[in-house]
Amino acid sequence: MKKENMPVLEVKSLAKSYSTDAETLTVLKDISFILEKNQSLAVIGESGTGKSTLLNLVGGLDYVSGGEIVVFNKKIENMTETQLADFRNKNIGFIFQYHHLLPDFTALENVMLPFLIGSFNKQAAEESAAKLLGSVGLIDRLKHKPSQLSGGEQQRVAIARSLINRPGLVLMDEPTGNLDEKTSAEVMDLVWKLADEFDLTVVLVSHNLAIAAQADKCIRLSKGSSEFIHLD
Ligand SMILES: Nc1ncnc2c1ncn2[C@@H]1O[C@H](COP(=O)(O)OP(=O)(O)OP(=O)(O)O)[C@@H](O)[C@H]1O
Ligand SMILES: [Mg+2]
């Protein structure tokens, strides 16, 4: 297969259960989908249906109970902890509802950090981080700490941080869940602009159907299964 046509993400018969002493809770029973380069998938479903669980599994932050996840032709479960951490840092970007920026670091430093984990080239990290902060419209906020930024600006810093290592796959869990409607729309416009510019494959969890409808495909989770649905 030509590399161009290689799937970026393959989720095959994925299952996940959580076991406690008292019981086993099956959250995902049989989820399958494939995403190619520059394709986006929205994941919707009621609270507790396993949307975050699915993202965590795809990002290798938790272990599957059944089925498999293949990212760029590599099976996540075949990797050791160290390999997975390295693979994740290079290939997968995460954006969450709360930005998780480090409060004592500036916007520039927050964006630089994932780069510095992979390479100790501080100058290259700084240049790349400043450029990305420019792309998200924050070139005049480089030295601001998170508390000195608005919610939308903080989320744009988080987006820049998720892209610093040029991942091919970006996972977003309610990226605008904490923002007002206008700011949400601006942040999502930015997300899609960057997705095109960087050829990103995106999995986006959202409660907002208008936002979910912006993705190429949409699945709804319910009772452990998923169905493809069409949103206008
Ligand atoms: N570490 C865990 N141990 C046990 N149960 C868990 C764990 N993580 C999640 N769950 C359970 O799995 C179910 C799915 O949780 P998940 O966070 O994936 O839902 P969600 O669809 O993201 O919901 P929301 O829309 O509220 O964010 C929930 O019932 C939750 O209680
Ligand atoms: Mg969730």
Side-chain angles (χ1 to χ4, degrees), residues 18-20 25 27 45-54 62 173-174 205 207 221:
Y18 292 109
S19 294
T20 57
L25 174 72
V27 180
E46 287 175 15
S47 184
T49 49
K51 304 179 299 296
S52 297
T53 300
L54 173 63
D62 199 356
D173 199 348
E174 294 282 352
V205 169
H207 277 114
L221 299 188

Side-chain angles (χ1 to χ4, degrees), residues 41-161:
L41 174 80
V43 181
I44 62 171
E46 287 175 15
S47 184
T49 49
K51 304 179 299 296
S52 297
T53 300
L54 173 63
L55 273 201
N56 290 341
L57 293 170
V58 167
L61 297 173
D62 199 356
Y63 293 101
V64 305
S65 309
E68 64 181 33
I69 291 166
V70 184
V71 181
F72 293 113
N73 246 0
K74 294 215 167 60
K75 272 193 209 176
I76 293 261
E77 67 260 40
N78 286 352
M79 294 182 213
T80 63
E81 277 293 324
T82 325
Q83 285 170 334
L84 184 58
D86 183 55
F87 181 80
R88 198 190 290 126
N89 192 44
K90 290 201 178 104
N91 296 289
I92 307 180
F94 291 90
I95 302 167
F96 301 98
Q97 174 172 1
Y98 299 99
H99 52 73
H100 298 300
L101 298 172
L102 299 173
D104 297 331
F105 290 84
T106 64
L108 186 72
E109 289 162 345
N110 267 286
V111 176
M112 284 166 65
L113 275 174
F115 187 107
L116 291 172
I117 291 169
S119 136
F120 295 108
N121 190 336
K122 189 159 176 258
Q123 199 191 336
E126 222 170 87
E127 280 168 14
S128 186
K131 195 155 171 255
L132 263 176
L133 282 163
S135 304
V136 301
L138 292 176
I139 200 65
D140 52 358
R141 297 285 191 281
L142 303 185
K143 295 284 153 68
H144 285 231
K145 295 202 171 143
S147 63
Q148 300 166 329
L149 296 167
S150 73
E153 287 169 349
Q154 290 168 357
Q155 204 56 326
R156 283 190 275 157
V157 175
I159 292 170
R161 178 187 55 183

